[in-house]
Amino acid sequence: LKVNKVVLNLLSNAIKYTPDGGWVRFSVLPLEASGNRITRRLVVEDNGIGMSREFLDRLYEPFSQENRVEIDTAAGTGLGLSIVQRLVRLMEGTIQVESKLQQGSKFTIDLPIVNWPYTEQETVSKQRDDLEPIEERKFAGQHILLCEDNCLNAEIALLLLKDKNLQVDWAKDGK
């Protein structure tokens, strides 16, 4: 579940910040386990808009977003990469990023995964304009329950979900 969250977040960002005609690539590479137990390398890379060197210093800070003309500031909360970093650390892995303005970004995650369900190296690469959009229409009008105990997180989630034409009830806890 944690690996899925990490990969989906990074792929979502790569797609969001790669203009039409660009590419996004996801690779899973087996590694020889050594003293650190690292057995898999996950790589998410793109040739999108990239990030400035200055922003890379605060990339994983909660709510940090780079202010650039080509970025729609309403596109996110700035929490995704801080969550990714936290999950990778919880799994006792490492994360590295390389990025250059207008050339793209590359995230490399090394993880100690014991039971990997796939046996072969897998690489998926798609052109940005070939990616199928998420079928938001099939969720429009659906009624969902949001359970979130943090008021700020709930407020952000409510705005994002209602923007997708969802009917949302908010509960402050799982009870």
Side-chain angles (χ1 to χ4, degrees):
L1 184 62
K2 290 176 189 166
V3 173
N4 283 343
K5 286 181 182 180
V6 166
V7 171
L8 289 174
N9 191 296
L10 292 176
L11 285 173
S12 173
N13 282 350
I15 292 167
K16 187 182 335 180
Y17 298 118
T18 300
D20 288 344
W23 53 264
V24 172
R25 183 177 301 129
F26 170 61
S27 304
V28 178
L29 308 165
L31 299 174
E32 285 292 322
S34 60
N36 61 9
R37 304 180 352 249
I38 300 296
T39 63
R40 293 292 179 275
R41 173 166 289 161
L42 312 177
V43 180
V44 176
E45 57 187 321
D46 62 69
N47 69 341
I49 64 171
M51 295 173 276
S52 68
R53 179 170 280 234
E54 296 78 26
F55 181 70
L56 290 176
D57 292 336
R58 55 189 178 84
L59 176 68
Y60 299 114
E61 293 175 9
F63 303 107
S64 68
Q65 291 182 308
E66 188 165 25
N67 294 321
R68 298 200 3 227
V69 175
E70 65 269 48
I71 298 175
D72 178 8
T73 56
T77 61
L79 289 172
L81 291 176
S82 66
I83 292 169
V84 164
Q85 183 191 43
R86 182 171 291 173
L87 288 171
V88 169
R89 285 182 177 169
L90 282 171
M91 292 184 284
E92 299 179 7
T94 62
I95 183 169
Q96 296 177 339
V97 63
E98 301 168 37
S99 188
K100 291 185 181 175
L101 285 174
Q102 305 308 325
Q103 294 182 27
S105 300
K106 178 180 179 181
F107 286 86
T108 303
I109 298 119
D110 290 345
L111 295 172
I113 299 175
V114 177
N115 297 316
W116 187 256
Y118 308 103
T119 56
E120 298 178 23
Q121 173 182 333
E122 187 86 20
T123 299
V124 178
S125 181
K126 288 273 194 175
Q127 289 296 114
R128 172 63 175 94
D129 48 358
D130 288 343
L131 295 170
E132 295 180 23
I134 295 172
E135 292 280 338
E136 292 181 11
R137 293 182 304 271
K138 69 181 176 183
F139 296 109
Q142 294 292 314
H143 195 166
I144 64 168
L145 174 63
L146 171 66
C147 296
E148 176 58 64
D149 62 353
N150 182 292
C151 292
L152 179 59
N153 289 350
E155 186 177 336
I156 293 167
L158 285 167
L159 287 171
L160 294 172
L161 293 168
K162 287 181 179 179
D163 187 50
K164 300 296 180 193
N165 297 318
L166 294 165
Q167 297 175 19
V168 184
D169 284 331
W170 172 39
K172 291 185 180 184
D173 58 40
K175 293 178 185 174

